[in-house]
Amino acid sequence: MTESPAPADMPELFTWEFANDPYPAYAWLREHAPVHRTTLPSGVEAWLVTRYADARQALADQRLSKNPDHHDEPSHAKGKTGIPGERKAELMTHLLNIDPPDHTRLRRLVSKAFTPRRVAEFAPRVQELTDDLIDRFATKGEADLIHDFAFPLPIYAICDLLGVPREDQDDFRDWAGMMIRHGGGPRGGVARSVKKMRGYLAELIHRKRNDPGDDLISGLIRASDHGEHLTENEAAAMAFILLFAGFETTVNLIGNGTYALLTHPEQRARLQSSIAAGERDLLETGVEELLRFDGPVEMATWRFATEPLSIGGQDIAAGDPVLVVLAAADRDPARFAEPDTLDLSRTDNQHLGYGHGIHYCLGAPLARLEGQAALATLLTRLPDLRLAVDPADLRRRGGLIMRGLRTLPVAFTPLER
């Protein structure tokens, strides 16, 4: 696969300027090169799919495999299309890397443990964590909402849900922090964190097998379907991906969502008034709009063509990697009216922020729960919350898949102790 010559007016991709605001470049691609072949910063060549209709088709096309073994990688690209260290740590058998029928079996088993009821029953704990974290900085009058709030909330929540003992959760916070900090840079730090997490999960699963509780890992161990159970490796891989994929998406939902509200004061005021009146409709549609407008996942995870196929009239060869650009699809004017406008009351909003098809994010209900609790509580308890820096000074973390802020310095009137 070789990259086509770029037109003279094509915007440059994957620069720091692009990372901070990729939407003008995506608009250009949607109009001029909606299925575009490019060389990624890692050296891997891949197709970028940017129109909504094409993206939705590609996300549901089972000829696009999630299994990296379908990618005939050149030597310079070896191991650059997945989570660093997951293969060596025997953590490949999770839902992001497999296809039917294995995917169907695993998702059915995991769904028996990770139920909507379990998530709904977890709401009081999410609210407790939210309040506790705000309590830690509310009297100071300033905070970095990524480090102090958006990052710890989902990691502690998913640890609680999985059944990681409280005394061990700071280790998970450190490992998760390493993954976020190095997401767009050296892969060694991430691989070491993955290895440590894998060792801990193996030990925890062994303990839970002998002494199960009412947590998600115990539920994964107990889950059965027609006599089938998750193997220990499968249970570890599922716990790992729930942690890995489940926390950073929510960090970015809270961070990007808060930033969008702070830079759109009319929308923020509408939401505050609605919350103060005890109404939830605008909060619920608002979180969906924030997911569409500047969502936590910029590109869906890797897919590989298992046979020659066509997307948007473009021929794709067998073995080619395909990246569906959710951030571009969710601002497609062919699908969304005034797509570059933030409208918290938007109801016709079938965004692709959590995917589509059989790989639709299993943890989406938990992320929505955390996002709604976080935003509603911030706006209620810190009503004059404001940015403490010029928006131009904020920087996004590097990386291909996720889209999130490095920091979000804010100021507010301190609460009395």
Side-chain angles (χ1 to χ4, degrees), residues 139-159:
T139 59
K140 300 176 182 178
E142 61 182 16
D144 172 3
L145 278 188
I146 301 300
H147 180 268
D148 297 327
F149 185 64
F151 176 74
L153 174 59
I155 195 68
Y156 288 145
I158 196 69
C159 280

Side-chain angles (χ1 to χ4, degrees), residues 35 37 47 308-317 320:
V35 182
R37 188 169 61 196
W47 295 95
L309 56 94
S310 176
I311 302 175
Q314 175 65 58
D315 292 335
I316 309 290
D320 280 2

Side-chain angles (χ1 to χ4, degrees), residues 285 288-290 292 330 335-336 343 346-351:
T285 59
E288 298 310 303
E289 174 68 346
L290 294 168
R292 182 202 68 81
D330 279 343
R335 175 60 186 84
F336 299 100
D343 177 7
R346 189 186 298 266
T347 53
D348 180 17
N349 196 359
Q350 289 186 307
H351 63 77

Side-chain angles (χ1 to χ4, degrees), residues 67 80 232 310 384:
N67 186 344
K80 294 183 179 179
E232 197 152 300
S310 176
D384 66 341

Side-chain angles (χ1 to χ4, degrees), residues 234-292:
E234 288 170 343
M238 284 310 309
F240 163 72
I241 204 60
L242 286 169
L243 274 161
F244 190 90
F247 86 88
E248 190 172 0
T249 52
T250 310
V251 174
N252 295 346
L253 167 58
I254 297 169
N256 296 357
T258 303
Y259 173 73
L261 292 173
L262 295 181
T263 51
H264 293 79
E266 290 183 6
Q267 293 294 308
R268 175 252 190 90
R270 287 180 64 200
L271 183 56
Q272 280 181 299
S273 297
S274 173
I275 294 167
E279 300 165 357
R280 287 195 60 85
D281 287 357
L282 192 64
L283 177 62
E284 291 173 0
T285 59
V287 166
E288 298 310 303
E289 174 68 346
L290 294 168
L291 284 163
R292 182 202 68 81

Side-chain angles (χ1 to χ4, degrees), residues 189-209:
V190 181
R192 284 191 294 274
S193 294
V194 167
K195 184 178 180 181
K196 290 176 182 176
M197 195 178 284
R198 173 66 173 93
Y200 179 87
L201 287 172
E203 180 187 332
L204 184 61
I205 288 168
H206 182 72
R207 294 201 324 249
K208 298 284 187 185
R209 197 177 291 281

Side-chain angles (χ1 to χ4, degrees), residues 49 51-65 303 309-311 322-324 356 359:
V49 179
R51 287 181 179 168
Y52 182 92
D54 296 337
R56 192 173 166 90
Q57 172 210 325
L59 291 172
D61 193 330
Q62 294 194 26
R63 297 172 299 174
L64 291 174
S65 171
R303 284 163 168 78
L309 56 94
S310 176
I311 302 175
V322 174
L323 287 166
V324 178
H356 171 67
H359 290 285

